Amino acid sequence: MTQRERAIETVRGPAGGLGAVLMHEHIFGLSPEILWNWPDVPEGWDLERCAADAAAKLDAVRALGIDTVVDLTVIGLGRYVPAVQRVAELTSVNIIVATGLYTYDDLPAYFGNRGPGSLFGGEDRLAEFFIRDITEGVGRTGVKAGMLKCATGKQGITRGVERVIRACAKAHRETGVPITTHSESSVRNGLDQQKLLREEGVDLTRVVIGHAGDSTDLDYLRTLADSGSYLGMDRFGIEFTSFEDRVATVVAMCELGYAERMVLGHDSYCFNDRFEWDVIAERHPNYHLRHISSDVLPELLARGVTQAQIDLMLIDNPRRVLSPVAPY
Ligand SMILES: [Zn+2]
């Protein structure tokens, strides 16, 4: 196989096909230091029970036509791939895991105390860790990461965030695995992410600007997409941007010819020890894996989005962006 034909890696190994893909979800978000010290808090993490529960949630969305979920839980969000591997044994849904680091500001001390400009100096090891996750697998699991992730919050491109984005760019160019981001649409900083990635020589068609769909600013969204990147319309069910606004924005962008540039997701978790689930159920009743299939797609069709455009957003665009390219 040439580099260009390299298969897309899932938790169960290289995938033949992906089918319909939710491009930004999370299986588990864990707080290891809390779990070590207060294992009996009510959130009640239990690997077997939570894996069975997650598999049931995935099976339910499979019955609604979704075949693959991209789990964008990276360092900083409580990634634990052995638990995701257990879920993959229990469900037929493909799961793709990611590597990268989630911070809006400083790096975790493990990385922040190392590297150029740090107190203790030495090599910047971020890219090395990311590349190892992609080429050899995460930890001792043998599961290879299929996507790189970086984040920018309201603080913008801080020194720590800049190191993560540059490391993602380096790992991307060395492996051909695509990049996705967490961006803050209220301050339009997907544009800053694109600028830095472009400066690092990244082909912006290999990038998903995540959480773009939090915005209803069509000029902003068109500018991002005109640079070649995909837009993550990926928080359906999180109510700070309403159902109406999220749907109307996708409809408008489809009318403007951008169905080829959008991907879909909820940014949901099957289990997250940082959430009060009963409060979430009240405030964000549609914040779950089935919302797009059950509510969003029917509404898009009713408003004139075609099935072909939905197939682009759910099937073709994810396949195009997730397929690794040759290093460059
Ligand atoms: Zn997320």
Side-chain angles (χ1 to χ4, degrees):
M1 250 191 211
T2 65
Q3 282 283 356
R4 186 164 281 280
E5 289 162 346
R6 227 173 69 200
I8 300 167
E9 294 287 342
T10 75
V11 174
R12 283 190 292 265
L18 297 180
V21 185
L22 295 176
M23 282 290 284
H24 190 137
E25 308 297 340
H26 302 271
I27 307 296
F28 300 132
L30 302 174
S31 305
E33 214 170 352
I34 302 291
L35 287 167
W36 289 343
N37 292 288
W38 296 289
D40 301 318
V41 291
E43 290 82 27
W45 166 252
D46 174 87
L47 196 154
E48 273 307 314
R49 190 174 46 75
C50 292
D53 178 64
K57 287 174 175 159
L58 290 164
D59 287 347
V61 79
R62 179 102 208 218
L64 298 171
I66 298 296
D67 306 292
T68 302
V69 161
V70 183
D71 177 0
L72 292 179
T73 314
V74 294
I75 304 306
L77 285 169
R79 185 180 69 171
Y80 186 50
V81 172
V84 180
Q85 240 175 338
R86 181 67 184 126
V87 177
E89 288 172 5
L90 301 173
T91 178
S92 60
V93 173
N94 298 308
I95 305 170
I96 295 170
V97 300
T99 186
L101 197 143
Y102 181 94
T103 180
Y104 297 162
D105 198 350
D106 289 335
L107 292 171
Y110 183 92
F111 293 106
N113 283 345
R114 295 180 160 96
S118 68
L119 183 57
F120 298 105
E123 293 286 310
D124 186 335
R125 301 193 64 185
L126 283 167
E128 170 199 331
F129 279 52
F130 299 167
I131 291 166
R132 184 186 297 137
D133 281 358
I134 293 164
T135 58
E136 293 171 34
V138 178
R140 294 168 181 157
T141 62
V143 174
K144 293 177 180 171
M147 202 161 207
L148 285 147
K149 179 173 178 192
C150 50
T152 308
K154 284 199 171 114
Q155 299 92 321
I157 312 271
T158 64
R159 236 171 54 84
V161 166
E162 182 183 339
R163 273 181 63 184
V164 176
I165 294 177
R166 290 194 196 278
C168 279
K170 184 167 186 230
H172 160 70
R173 293 186 59 184
E174 276 193 45
T175 62
V177 160
I179 299 173
T180 190
T181 74
H182 165 113
S183 66
E184 179 54 55
S185 284
S186 65
V187 292
R188 299 163 52 110
N189 68 21
L191 294 169
D192 304 328
Q193 295 176 332
Q194 284 185 325
K195 182 165 174 274
L196 188 52
L197 289 167
R198 192 188 285 118
E199 195 182 305
E200 288 290 315
V202 171
D203 170 0
L204 293 181
T205 68
R206 305 295 301 140
V207 176
V208 178
I209 301 297
H211 309 333
D214 291 349
S215 176
T216 55
D217 177 347
L218 297 183
D219 286 337
Y220 171 58
L221 297 174
R222 292 171 72 175
T223 307
L224 288 175
D226 288 342
S227 297
S229 300
Y230 293 88
L231 308 175
M233 315 308 271
D234 54 16
R235 278 175 154 179
F236 279 100
I238 308 187
E239 288 297 329
F240 64 84
T241 302
S242 68
F243 176 79
E244 172 57 34
D245 281 349
R246 290 185 192 278
V247 166
T249 302
V250 173
V251 171
M253 289 297 284
C254 283
E255 283 168 358
L256 290 165
Y258 289 93
E260 273 185 13
R261 284 280 162 264
M262 291 186 282
V263 294
L264 306 178
H266 309 89
D267 200 7
S268 73
Y269 282 83
C270 293
F271 176 90
N272 185 338
D273 65 18
R274 297 179 290 270
F275 286 177
E276 297 295 342
W277 287 95
D278 45 345
V279 177
I280 288 201
E282 215 171 281
R283 282 195 196 165
H284 307 276
N286 291 316
Y287 182 39
H288 57 73
L289 271 176
R290 290 166 283 110
H291 179 45
I292 287 177
S293 309
S294 302
D295 309 312
V296 176
L297 299 182
E299 187 63 22
L300 291 175
L301 287 167
R303 296 195 195 191
V305 173
T306 65
Q307 186 59 48
Q309 288 172 317
I310 287 175
D311 290 347
L312 278 173
M313 295 186 279
L314 273 181
I315 302 170
D316 303 300
N317 299 343
R319 188 186 58 237
R320 259 190 297 153
V321 72
L322 287 166
S323 298
V325 296
Y328 63 95

